[in-house]
Amino acid sequence: MGFHMLESIQYKGRSAEWLAFDNMHHQWLLLAACFWVIFMFMVASKFITLTFKDPDVYSAKQELLFLTAVPEDAARSPGETHFAKELKPTGKMPLGDQLVQPLVYMQRLELIRNVCREEALRSLSHTAISKFVLDRIFVCDKHRILFCQTPKVGNTQWKKVLIVLNGAFPSIEEIPENVVHDHEKNGLPRLSSFSNEEIQMRLKTYFKFFIVRDPFERLISAFKDKFVHNPRFEPWYRHEIAPGIIRKYRRNRTETRGIQFEDFVRYLGDPNHRWLDLQFGDHIIHWVTYVELCAPCEIRYSVIGHHETLEEDAPYILKEAGIDHLVSYPTIPPGITVYNKTKVEHYFLGISKRDIRRLYARFEGDFKLFGYQKPDFLLN
């Protein structure tokens, strides 16, 4: 009996040791599993960080931008591949600017491409790459940049950027205001000054951009600047162009006031406006369509900036052009780029629906190409 008790005690002792060892084994396994989970989490975090920050990964957007760019001719094969709609966000998403912003600009380019293919809008979206268009495009050969001028959309500041890049002045602050638009002194060549071969090479290989703005608000800005404020160094707007518009489009012939916005709207909405445009010459660049100025369905632009989001678009354009380390876009005064619906309503107050609809009919291509909402509050 003593022998069996001793054997039982020994057995229980070995069992306790085994249980202790087994518990310790499980604890080590659990600790090892915890370390493995932490290690994998650190690796995943590092990978995510590199994916967001690696310039090589980020630069892949260039290929996507190229694929969604506007075709150089409107004809496309029936089987052409489109980007999925998931790549077309309606605004910014909380994933970080580096990942989201390129999608916003891709969306703009894809919208242009789609509108350019609409046969019903062809007359409003297509134009020949004429000397008139080539005269609007400024060249920076040193940094391989083309900028199409769309007046009344903050273009003076972009011209200053290019003037500095071309080396005419060391900084934006040192450029005299009277030099910016003097094309004999500002060092900005126009694309029209090159041979056909040189033009084609630049159109195909250079970084190209321009800026747009709500079309009706742009027309208001042009009217105010050229006919109301009327700079002293541009007297022809008030003394030559305004009388020509009044003679043709003023309904009340006894009215002796200077040109009114209603006269301006009626002129722009007239399907036969071109006979006056020919008389006015290049002065019409302040109010003709973006299509007529920059040929967005014929030229493959790299980026389209919007005046309303210029605070985000300007740095993005500088970075995409590879010049953000060389020059900065001038400071934008607070609120100056915000769309002002109240102002638009005020200017169109009292103008007939017929005249407003005719005006919209002319600028419909601009509204649709660049994603601006149809101004139903004025049309209906």
Side-chain angles (χ1 to χ4, degrees):
M1 180 174 180
F3 173 79
H4 286 294
M5 287 182 64
L6 178 63
E7 186 179 26
S8 175
I9 292 169
Q10 289 175 344
Y11 175 78
K12 289 180 180 180
R14 286 195 298 270
S15 297
E17 289 176 0
W18 171 254
L19 287 173
F21 175 79
D22 187 60
N23 287 337
M24 185 178 295
H25 179 70
H26 281 295
Q27 289 175 356
W28 277 107
L29 285 177
L30 182 61
L31 188 60
C34 291
F35 275 115
W36 176 253
V37 170
I38 293 171
F39 174 76
M40 292 302 296
F41 178 79
M42 292 174 64
V43 170
S45 299
K46 187 65 175 177
F47 176 78
I48 292 170
T49 302
L50 289 173
T51 300
F52 276 90
K53 292 185 176 181
D54 185 354
D56 292 331
V57 174
Y58 180 51
S59 66
K61 67 185 175 296
Q62 290 289 356
E63 181 181 352
L64 293 175
L65 284 174
F66 176 79
L67 291 172
T68 56
V70 182
E72 289 187 78
D73 67 64
R76 289 285 179 176
S77 61
E80 182 183 17
T81 302
H82 289 276
F83 272 95
K85 290 187 178 180
E86 286 76 8
L87 290 179
K88 297 171 62 179
T90 56
K92 293 184 179 177
M93 296 178 288
L95 294 178
D97 288 345
Q98 285 188 330
L99 199 61
V100 176
Q101 280 195 354
L103 299 183
V104 173
Y105 302 107
M106 286 166 57
Q107 179 187 20
R108 293 176 183 176
L109 293 176
E110 188 174 2
L111 174 63
I112 292 173
R113 181 175 67 178
N114 291 335
V115 174
C116 287
R117 300 160 111 184
E118 293 185 24
E119 284 300 319
L121 288 173
R122 188 171 183 83
S123 63
L124 295 172
S125 60
H126 289 263
T127 191
I129 304 180
S130 62
K131 185 179 183 300
F132 180 80
V133 171
L134 297 175
D135 277 344
R136 310 281 74 79
I137 300 176
F138 297 103
V139 181
C140 175
D141 277 330
K142 185 176 181 181
H143 298 281
R144 300 169 67 83
I145 297 171
L146 299 180
F147 166 62
C148 186
Q149 179 187 24
T150 49
K152 315 320 306 169
V153 190
N155 284 271
T156 297
Q157 307 303 332
W158 284 111
K159 288 173 78 171
K160 290 178 179 179
V161 167
L162 293 183
I163 289 170
V164 171
L165 290 174
N166 275 350
F169 289 88
S171 70
I172 286 175
E173 292 74 23
E174 296 179 58
I175 305 173
E177 289 299 322
N178 63 335
V179 169
V180 178
H181 302 296
D182 187 334
H183 298 294
E184 293 182 1
K185 298 179 181 179
N186 64 17
L188 283 182
R190 300 172 189 260
L191 192 55
S192 58
S193 65
F194 297 88
S195 69
N196 287 335
E197 293 76 13
E198 292 171 327
I199 290 171
Q200 291 304 315
M201 181 275 291
R202 286 166 174 79
L203 285 175
K204 289 179 180 178
T205 63
Y206 280 23
F207 177 87
K208 300 170 288 294
F209 76 101
F210 66 96
I211 313 297
V212 295
R213 179 183 190 179
D214 176 86
F216 279 7
E217 194 170 40
R218 171 177 169 250
L219 294 179
I220 291 171
S221 178
F223 177 79
K224 287 170 59 181
D225 182 43
K226 301 305 174 186
F227 298 112
V228 179
H229 300 154
N230 190 230
R232 287 177 296 173
F233 56 87
E234 295 179 325
W236 48 84
Y237 286 100
R238 179 174 292 174
H239 301 301
E240 298 175 23
I241 295 177
I245 294 173
I246 291 171
R247 281 194 299 270
K248 174 66 177 176
Y249 296 102
R250 177 155 294 177
R251 286 177 175 167
N252 185 355
R253 299 296 180 180
T254 63
E255 177 64 66
T256 59
R257 290 184 300 167
I259 186 170
Q260 301 297 298
F261 189 65
E262 181 181 10
D263 306 322
F264 189 57
V265 167
R266 197 170 293 117
Y267 149 59
L268 294 177
D270 183 2
N272 300 312
H273 62 85
R274 294 192 184 280
W275 74 273
L276 262 187
D277 288 352
L278 291 173
Q279 295 180 43
F280 298 156
D282 281 0
H283 302 309
I284 63 172
I285 65 171
H286 296 278
W287 52 76
V288 298
T289 65
Y290 300 128
V291 170
E292 294 168 283
L293 291 169
C294 297
C297 287
E298 285 68 37
I299 296 175
R300 188 190 298 267
Y301 285 95
S302 310
V303 178
I304 305 296
H306 281 224
H307 185 259
E308 294 81 3
T309 55
L310 195 56
E311 290 185 5
E312 295 83 28
D313 292 2
Y316 180 81
I317 290 170
L318 295 177
K319 185 172 184 178
E320 291 299 287
I323 54 175
D324 54 319
H325 62 293
L326 299 174
V327 67
S328 298
Y329 189 83
T331 302
I332 302 171
I336 196 170
T337 63
V338 177
Y339 173 72
N340 190 335
K341 181 180 177 182
T342 302
K343 179 180 70 176
V344 174
E345 288 177 320
H346 171 74
Y347 268 84
F348 281 93
L349 187 65
I351 298 178
S352 73
K353 298 296 182 184
R354 172 182 174 272
D355 288 338
I356 299 175
R357 290 184 186 124
R358 290 178 71 172
L359 181 70
Y360 176 76
R362 178 178 175 189
F363 287 87
E364 183 180 5
D366 281 359
F367 275 95
K368 292 192 172 181
L369 279 165
F370 306 106
Y372 286 102
Q373 188 173 358
K374 183 179 179 180
D376 288 323
F377 64 96
L378 297 176
L379 299 169
N380 301 324

